[in-house]
Amino acid sequence: MCNESKIYYKSLDSTRLCGVFTVPKMPKGFVLMAHGITMDKNEWNNFYVEIAQDLCKRKFASFRFDFRAHGESEGLQRDLTVIGELIDIKASIKKIRENWKQKISIIATSFGAGPAILYTAQNPAIVSCLILLCPVIDYESTFLNPIVPWAKESFNEKGFKDLEEKGFLLLDGVFEIGIKMVEEFRIVKPYEYLKRITCPVLTIHGDMDSMVPYEISKKYGRPNEFSKFVTSNGADHGFVAYDDETGESEQSQRNKQIVLQEIIQWIEKWRMR
């Protein structure tokens, strides 16, 4: 039996955040889940809800939350920054640690990976293991000079002109990326922080990802001897089969189940490290 409860709480700069606890009786571990940009606490196709339910069946509690400017949390899109997301993670883990004093596992997807990597590098005594799903770990090759198709539609001559004139550009035509975060992209290098991490890291990435470079994850995704890199063969971003826009094809569902199994096994293996 799992108890699920939604809470509202403040980030370290008082931005109001929203999150959901999923807690079994007598949990044996705790997991924080950080979503990608333009998503929310449930992730695409409710993937984080499925992970939370699977974890709970195995006696792991979890907390998934909306980063600022996403979902039910406060904040303007154009004010979003990598550091803002980092302090949201810090506030969320602080909330978990009100009732859980042992180490915490972190799952981070896509854009949520960068802030999660920064947190883990800063707090090795708190994080038992880190799981990175199709992670953004190099802002240069993902956004500023994109080597995969997705960001090329936004980070181009028109986009940078909008950034100069309006202070933001549109990602996917809907999400405002502000000039402060673009400047962070030039400075912050998550892959450098990933190199410093000593806890076990599981990185899973589709080799047909059209949004986030697979090659970068393959290069940096196994930072130490305790880590593992897994290729989701033929998978696009979010582990869907290539050209499957709904994520409901048989192959996409098989991919998701494989990823879920890898996640559960990793957390079971390293929860007490």
Side-chain angles (χ1 to χ4, degrees), residues 89-259:
I89 288 177
K90 288 186 176 184
S92 299
I93 288 184
K94 182 180 178 182
K95 183 59 64 174
I96 291 172
R97 287 174 65 80
E98 288 178 1
N99 297 299
W100 180 263
K101 304 304 182 184
Q102 298 178 52
K103 286 190 172 185
I104 296 166
S105 304
I106 298 178
I107 301 172
T109 297
S110 194
F111 195 82
I117 289 168
L118 298 184
Y119 180 87
T120 303
Q122 292 176 352
N123 299 274
I126 293 176
V127 182
S128 60
C129 65
L130 177 64
I131 297 169
L132 304 175
L133 307 178
C134 41
V136 176
I137 58 176
D138 180 4
Y139 300 130
E140 176 76 24
S141 63
T142 306
F143 297 112
L144 299 178
N145 291 292
I147 60 176
V148 287
W150 174 56
K152 290 181 180 180
E153 297 179 5
S154 304
F155 286 80
N156 50 35
E157 185 177 352
K158 180 185 182 302
F160 285 114
K161 183 178 180 182
D162 286 344
L163 188 70
E164 184 177 333
E165 294 178 353
K166 302 176 183 179
F168 68 91
L169 57 79
L170 288 178
L171 182 66
D172 278 345
V174 294
F175 196 95
E176 296 177 354
I177 301 292
I179 194 165
K180 288 184 289 186
M181 188 153 73
V182 173
E183 290 304 314
E184 280 184 326
F185 289 168
R186 304 183 194 282
I187 300 167
V188 181
K189 303 184 187 302
Y191 61 87
E192 292 291 351
Y193 287 87
L194 186 55
K195 293 176 185 177
R196 306 176 194 175
I197 290 175
T198 57
C199 77
V201 178
L202 170 64
T203 303
I204 312 176
H205 207 136
D207 61 2
M208 297 291 286
D209 197 323
S210 61
M211 301 177 75
V212 178
Y214 164 79
E215 295 81 4
I216 303 298
S217 287
K218 188 175 182 181
K219 182 177 181 179
Y220 297 107
R222 191 173 178 271
N224 57 57
E225 62 181 316
F226 307 106
S227 297
K228 179 181 179 182
F229 182 83
V230 176
T231 297
S232 183
N233 292 309
D236 202 335
H237 199 63
F239 310 109
V240 299
Y242 197 70
D243 288 336
D244 175 13
E245 295 184 359
T246 67
E248 296 179 358
S249 70
E250 288 186 14
Q251 185 60 53
S252 294
Q253 292 301 308
R254 281 196 295 271
N255 291 346
K256 183 165 67 174
Q257 290 307 310
I258 291 170
V259 171

Side-chain angles (χ1 to χ4, degrees), residues 2 39 41 51 158 258:
C2 296
M39 295 291 107
K41 56 185 166 292
I51 293 175
K158 180 185 182 302
I258 291 170

Side-chain angles (χ1 to χ4, degrees), residues 17-43:
L17 305 177
C18 178
V20 174
F21 281 107
T22 304
V23 183
K25 289 184 179 179
M26 299 180 67
K28 62 183 181 182
F30 224 113
V31 182
L32 176 77
M33 293 186 274
H35 66 79
I37 200 166
T38 77
M39 295 291 107
D40 63 18
K41 56 185 166 292
N42 296 332
E43 254 300 330

Side-chain angles (χ1 to χ4, degrees), residues 7 25 36 42 56 64 112 125 167 178 231 241 262:
I7 66 164
K25 289 184 179 179
N42 296 332
C56 198
R64 62 188 191 271
T231 297
E262 291 280 0

